Amino acid sequence: MEHYDAVEPLNVGTGQDLPIAELARIIAGIVDYSGEIRYDASKPDGTPRKLLDVSRMSALGWKAEIPLRQGIAETYKWYRGSATECLKTRS
């Protein structure tokens, strides 16, 4: 990506689909949430599939190297550290 100079955006993803319920379970596990995850069946489901087309990224030779669970966990850890630092500087 150091040499990509086009102006149009690129989808960055794994090219794999994941149900929202599974994503919710992954996030709950990472943040140690043990409560119930409820869904409002009276609301529309939304788009059945939310799979990103990563063919342009693949054509440029890029592919995701960090599994989703690891990426979310690392981002959450970073966020927690950043939020803690931010609160310390405000005190």
Side-chain angles (χ1 to χ4, degrees):
M1 296 316 303
E2 293 173 3
H3 306 288
Y4 182 75
D5 61 1
V7 294
E8 62 269 352
L10 292 171
N11 287 329
V12 177
T14 63
Q16 298 174 342
D17 203 3
L18 181 72
I20 194 69
E22 178 61 21
L23 180 59
R25 285 190 292 273
I26 289 171
I27 294 169
I30 290 168
V31 303
D32 291 327
Y33 175 75
S34 59
E36 179 184 5
I37 298 174
R38 296 183 304 179
Y39 302 93
D40 187 347
S42 71
K43 304 291 186 222
D45 280 344
T47 306
R49 296 195 69 202
K50 296 168 181 69
L51 179 62
L52 290 175
D53 177 3
V54 296
S55 60
R56 290 179 54 211
M57 289 295 291
S58 297
L60 293 169
W62 186 90
K63 69 175 185 161
E65 295 178 2
I66 299 173
L68 180 63
R69 180 182 300 272
Q70 178 185 345
I72 293 171
E74 289 177 9
T75 301
Y76 179 65
K77 182 179 177 182
W78 169 85
Y79 173 79
R80 292 288 306 239
S82 295
T84 301
E85 282 302 312
C86 182
L87 289 173
K88 285 179 185 176
T89 59
R90 290 184 180 182
S91 303

